[in-house]
């Protein structure tokens, strides 16, 4: 704070023309108001006492009076110098007093508008600037190349999901479909041919198995014949043994009767009869031996027949195995042919899909943007330049950020229910309500904020992508909150404050802490009590201690408590 300079010399006031009231006004206007307020009781009486004089005679009394006023002025300046260098004035009051140093004296009464501090149940809210964004945005690009043959909507039109937007020339795709269909038909014929070969070769396998069964029957038959012939051999051998016994007996009888004949005991006819019988038995033995030999030859022949039949059976088994291998080859050929058909059918499906791309439908419902191509343009498949962009605006989202310090409280209240999000479009008073739909999983380290997204049904289409709105997130309600009109709260070098009107119609600068704002009211966390009177208009002319006159009063903030 600097000492006000009083320039009496430049005021061009001469002793012969000076008026005492003018001099007093000059002194008071150049002395800071706080000095006058503090020294008013002591010094004003002294000044007024010494300023009392009579104008007659003017020469001597006036000179003495001027001298006394000079002494009082020097004493006042000395006192102010002491306060300047040794006192520590409040910064807020100093700033206010400096700004008002040119105003009139301490006796000025300022007309103001006031309001009562009230209590009200208010919502605890967070406010931020939000940005409207589409629920989803799709860039429509062609998936095949070709010439655009039709455009079936207008730019800016609201389109429905599945609505036809564009058509492309599809002659190439239709030709590809016909070619793929021909390939499928050819390969299906190959499959049928492979199946016919399989059926034929399976018939050969069955035929080989029948031949095997027949030849296995011949082997069994040969074995039976061999067994029979072996029985005949054994029978012939038994006959030989019997005939040998008879031959030995006949030989013995022949020898005995021959000796008896020589002795004359028997006749020659009897001896010759036994000799003939012995010779017959010898011939019978010879025939038996020949029969045995013949039977053994038959058995050998039977064994050769069995061996040959077994070789035929082995050959039949090899034939069956070969036929089965052919069948397996036929089955593999069928599988390969079927795989080729499946590949052909895939190629056919692909060409059919490519044909479907010749008609472009809206993938979502939303607002169509500008049409970037017209009928007759040739477009490339999967081009980086879209044909148009569709933005879904029903529902729609509003993205906004709040300080990360608020995250725990948001999580606390969002875990139990859906939090309300209200937005206001600038220059309008209508609020649009939605619900908090998203809390980002990462805090932005560069700004120290957390991103939130509210979702709105936007049935009337009032919100538009890219629009900036005022966003209010309601966390809970606070009962009996202290509220004042927003215009009562002022911003100063040391923070926010209000002017409280005291019973003697003077005002006091009271610092306050504002926790939130809503509907023209500030919620005061600290600094005020219900029932106090605060200034809502006219603060520019006030400092602590100023006299005020209430020209009007608004209703108590928040209504009756």
């Amino acid at each position: 704070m600097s000492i006000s300079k009083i320039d009496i010399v430049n005021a061009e006031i001469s002793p012969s023309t000076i008026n005492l009231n003018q001099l007093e006004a000059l002194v008071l206007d150049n002395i800071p108001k706080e000095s006058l307020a503090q020294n008013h009781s002591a010094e004003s009486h002294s000044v007024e006492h010494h300023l009392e004089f009579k104008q007659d005679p003017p020469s001597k009394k006036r000179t003495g009076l001027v001298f006394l006023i000079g002494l009082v002025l020097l004493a006042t300046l000395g006192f102010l110098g002491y306060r300047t260098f040794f006192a520590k004035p409040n910064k807020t009051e100093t700033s206010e007093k400096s700004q008002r140093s040119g105003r009139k004296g301490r006796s000025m009464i300022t007309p103001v508008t006031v309001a009562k501090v009230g209590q009200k149940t208010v919502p605890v809210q967070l406010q931020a600037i939000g940005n409207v964004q589409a629920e989803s945005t799709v860039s429509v690009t062609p998936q095949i190349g070709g010439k655009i043959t039709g455009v079936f909507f207008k730019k800016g039109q609201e389109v429905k999901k599945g609505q036809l937007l564009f058509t492309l020339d599809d002659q190439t795709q239709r030709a590809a479909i016909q070619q793929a269909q021909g390939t499928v038909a050819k390969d299906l014929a190959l499959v049928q041919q492979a199946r016919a070969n399989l059926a034929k070769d399976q018939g050969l396998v069955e035929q080989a198995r029948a031949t095997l069964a027949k030849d296995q029957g011949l082997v069994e038959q040969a074995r039976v014949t061999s067994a029979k012939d072996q029985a005949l051999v054994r029978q012939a051998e038994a006959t030989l043994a019997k005939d040998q016994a008879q031959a030995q007996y006949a030989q013995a009888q022949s020898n005995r009767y021959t000796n008896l004949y020589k002795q004359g005991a028997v006749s020659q006819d009897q001896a010759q009869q036994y000799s003939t019988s012995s010779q017959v038995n010898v011939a019978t033995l010879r025939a038996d031996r020949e029969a045995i030999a013949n039977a053994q030859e038959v058995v050998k022949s039977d064994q050769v027949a069995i061996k040959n039949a077994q070789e035929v059976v082995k050959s039949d088994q090899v034939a069956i195995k070969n036929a089965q291998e052919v069948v397996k080859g036929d089955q593999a050929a069928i599988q390969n042919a079927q795989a080729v058909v499946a590949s052909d059918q895939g190629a056919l499906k692909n060409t059919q899909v490519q044909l479907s791309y010749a008609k472009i439908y809206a993938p979502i419902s939303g607002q169509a943007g500008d049409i970037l191509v017209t009928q007759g343009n040739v477009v490339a498949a999967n081009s980086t330049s879209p044909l148009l962009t569709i933005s879904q605006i029903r529902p729609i989202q509003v993205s906004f950020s709040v300080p990360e310090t608020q995250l725990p409280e948001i999580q606390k209240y969002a875990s139990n229910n859906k939090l309300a999000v209200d937005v206001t479009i600038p220059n309008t008073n209508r609020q649009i309500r939605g619900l908090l739909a998203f809390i980002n999983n990462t805090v932005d380290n560069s700004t120290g904020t957390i991103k939130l997204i509210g979702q709105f049904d936007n049935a009337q289409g009032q919100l538009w992508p890219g629009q900036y709105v005022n966003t209010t997130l309601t966390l809970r309600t606070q009962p009996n909150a202290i509220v004042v009109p927003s215009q009562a709260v002022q911003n100063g070098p040391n923070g926010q404050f209000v002017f409280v009107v005291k019973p003697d119609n003077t005002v006091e600068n009271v610092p306050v802490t504002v926790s939130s704002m809503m509907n023209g009211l500030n919620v005061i966390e600290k600094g005020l009590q219900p029932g106090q009177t605060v200034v809502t208009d006219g603060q520019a002319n006030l400092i602590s201690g100023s006299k005020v006159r209430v020209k009007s009063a608004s209703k108590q903030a928040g209504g009756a408590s």
Side-chain angles (χ1 to χ4, degrees):
M1 178 177 179
S2 60
I3 303 174
S4 301
K5 182 178 179 182
I6 303 176
D7 193 352
I8 300 179
V9 176
N10 294 330
E12 297 182 357
I13 300 175
S14 63
S16 59
T17 61
I18 190 170
N19 184 288
L20 293 181
N21 293 331
Q22 293 177 348
L23 181 59
E24 182 181 5
L26 178 63
V27 172
L28 293 176
D29 287 342
N30 286 275
I31 295 177
K33 294 178 176 59
E34 64 270 21
S35 299
L36 290 174
Q38 293 176 358
N39 298 291
H40 176 70
S41 59
E43 295 173 0
S44 60
H45 293 290
S46 177
V47 172
E48 291 174 358
H49 175 74
H50 291 290
L51 289 179
E52 292 179 357
F53 65 93
K54 296 180 179 180
Q55 293 186 5
D56 293 325
S59 58
K60 186 174 182 179
K61 288 184 179 181
R62 184 171 297 174
T63 301
L65 181 58
V66 170
F67 177 76
L68 290 176
I69 291 175
L71 290 178
V72 171
L73 179 59
L74 289 176
T76 302
L77 291 177
F79 179 79
L80 292 178
Y82 174 83
R83 283 180 55 82
T84 300
F85 289 101
F86 295 99
K88 296 181 179 179
N90 180 274
K91 294 181 179 180
T92 303
E93 294 181 354
T94 301
S95 175
E96 294 173 354
K97 293 167 184 175
S98 297
Q99 293 174 0
R100 297 170 174 80
S101 59
R103 295 178 184 161
K104 292 185 178 181
R106 51 202 168 100
S107 60
M108 184 178 67
I109 298 177
T110 304
V112 294
T113 301
V114 298
K116 290 287 186 179
V117 177
Q119 283 185 296
K120 185 178 182 181
T121 299
V122 298
V124 177
Q125 298 174 325
L126 301 177
Q127 296 181 335
I129 300 299
N131 179 248
V132 182
Q133 58 189 27
E135 177 79 9
S136 59
T137 301
V138 177
S139 296
V140 179
T141 57
Q143 293 179 273
I144 60 171
K147 183 174 68 174
I148 295 179
T149 58
V151 179
F152 300 93
F153 69 103
K154 295 181 180 180
K155 62 179 68 177
Q157 175 185 340
E158 186 172 352
V159 297
K160 300 296 183 182
K161 182 178 181 180
Q163 178 179 335
L164 180 63
L165 302 178
F166 300 94
T167 55
L168 303 177
D169 185 6
D170 59 0
Q171 296 182 26
T172 301
Q173 287 71 35
R174 292 188 181 278
I177 286 177
Q178 292 177 350
Q179 181 179 358
Q181 287 174 336
T183 302
V184 169
K186 180 191 71 174
D187 292 334
L188 281 174
L190 293 177
V191 170
Q192 294 302 323
Q193 182 179 351
R195 286 176 176 168
N197 291 337
L198 173 63
K200 181 189 71 174
D201 293 334
Q202 285 176 335
L204 294 177
V205 169
E206 294 302 323
Q207 182 179 351
R209 285 174 176 168
T211 301
L212 173 62
K214 181 190 74 173
D215 292 338
Q216 286 175 336
L218 293 176
V219 170
E220 294 300 324
Q221 183 179 354
R223 285 175 177 169
V224 170
T225 301
S226 175
K228 181 184 72 173
D229 293 338
Q230 286 175 349
L232 293 174
V233 169
R234 288 191 295 272
Q235 183 179 357
E237 287 175 346
T239 301
L240 175 61
K242 181 188 75 172
D243 290 342
Q244 282 178 341
Q246 289 178 351
Q248 289 175 357
Y249 176 74
Q251 184 66 39
Q253 288 292 94
S254 176
N255 291 336
R256 186 170 69 85
Y257 277 94
T258 297
N259 289 331
L260 289 175
Y261 171 72
K262 288 178 178 182
Q263 294 174 5
V266 294
S267 66
Q268 184 180 3
D269 291 336
Q270 287 179 324
Q272 193 171 6
Q273 181 180 359
Y274 280 104
S275 175
T276 301
S277 178
S278 175
Q279 290 175 354
V280 170
N281 286 328
V282 170
T284 301
L285 288 175
R286 189 181 299 114
D288 289 342
R289 288 189 178 95
E290 289 177 357
I292 290 173
N294 291 335
Q296 287 176 338
E297 289 298 325
V298 172
V299 168
K300 288 180 180 179
S301 177
D302 291 339
Q303 290 176 342
V304 171
I306 290 173
K307 185 176 182 181
N308 291 337
Q310 289 176 334
E311 290 298 326
V312 171
V313 168
K314 289 181 180 179
S315 177
D316 292 339
Q317 291 173 337
V318 171
I320 290 175
K321 186 175 181 180
N322 292 336
Q324 288 174 334
E325 290 298 326
V326 172
V327 167
K328 288 181 180 179
D330 293 339
Q331 291 172 337
I334 290 174
Q335 290 178 350
N336 291 336
Q338 288 175 333
V340 171
V341 169
S343 176
D344 294 339
Q345 289 174 337
L348 174 60
K349 181 66 176 178
N350 181 58
T351 56
Q352 290 172 337
V353 171
Q354 295 296 314
L355 176 62
S356 70
Y357 292 155
K359 292 183 178 180
I360 301 175
Y361 299 91
I364 61 173
S365 298
Q367 205 76 22
D370 192 10
I371 303 176
L372 304 180
V373 293
T374 57
Q375 184 172 345
N377 289 138
V378 177
V379 295
N382 301 314
S383 172
T384 56
S385 300
L387 305 181
L388 82 155
T389 300
I390 301 176
S391 296
Q392 183 178 356
I393 62 172
R394 294 182 181 87
I396 203 167
Q397 297 178 343
V398 174
S399 172
F400 58 101
S401 297
V402 298
E404 62 178 306
T405 54
Q406 303 292 342
L407 179 58
E409 193 170 8
I410 294 173
Q411 291 175 322
K412 174 183 177 182
Y413 293 105
S415 61
N416 297 326
N417 55 357
K418 292 287 187 178
L419 298 183
V421 180
D422 296 302
V423 298
T424 304
I425 301 173
N427 301 322
T428 66
N429 294 324
R430 183 176 179 182
Q431 281 191 339
I432 304 172
R433 170 152 293 191
L435 297 175
L436 182 66
F438 171 75
I439 302 175
N440 199 8
N441 60 356
T442 304
V443 173
D444 188 341
N445 292 329
S446 62
T447 60
T449 58
I450 183 74
K451 180 181 177 181
L452 308 177
I453 292 179
Q455 190 172 46
F456 301 78
D457 59 16
N458 199 30
Q460 304 300 323
Q462 295 173 300
L463 299 177
W464 210 253
Q467 190 177 29
Y468 284 96
V469 293
N470 299 317
T471 307
T472 302
L473 172 63
T474 302
L475 299 178
R476 59 184 176 88
T477 56
Q478 178 182 349
N480 299 323
I482 297 175
V483 294
V484 297
S486 298
Q487 60 267 32
V489 180
Q490 304 293 304
N491 294 311
N494 295 326
Q496 295 177 307
F497 65 94
V498 298
F499 283 109
V500 176
V501 180
K502 300 167 70 174
D504 60 355
N505 285 335
T506 61
V507 295
E508 179 183 1
N509 182 320
V510 177
V512 294
T513 301
V514 178
S515 61
S516 62
M517 298 175 59
M518 56 154 294
N519 299 328
L521 296 177
N522 281 13
V523 179
I524 305 301
E525 184 176 336
K526 184 171 61 175
L528 295 177
Q529 295 297 325
Q532 290 182 299
T533 301
V534 295
V535 177
T536 59
D537 185 46
Q539 296 98 323
N541 299 320
L542 300 179
I543 61 173
S544 288
S546 295
K547 281 274 188 179
V548 296
R549 173 176 57 82
V550 176
K551 62 180 181 180
S552 64
S554 61
K555 294 182 179 179
Q556 181 177 358
S561 59

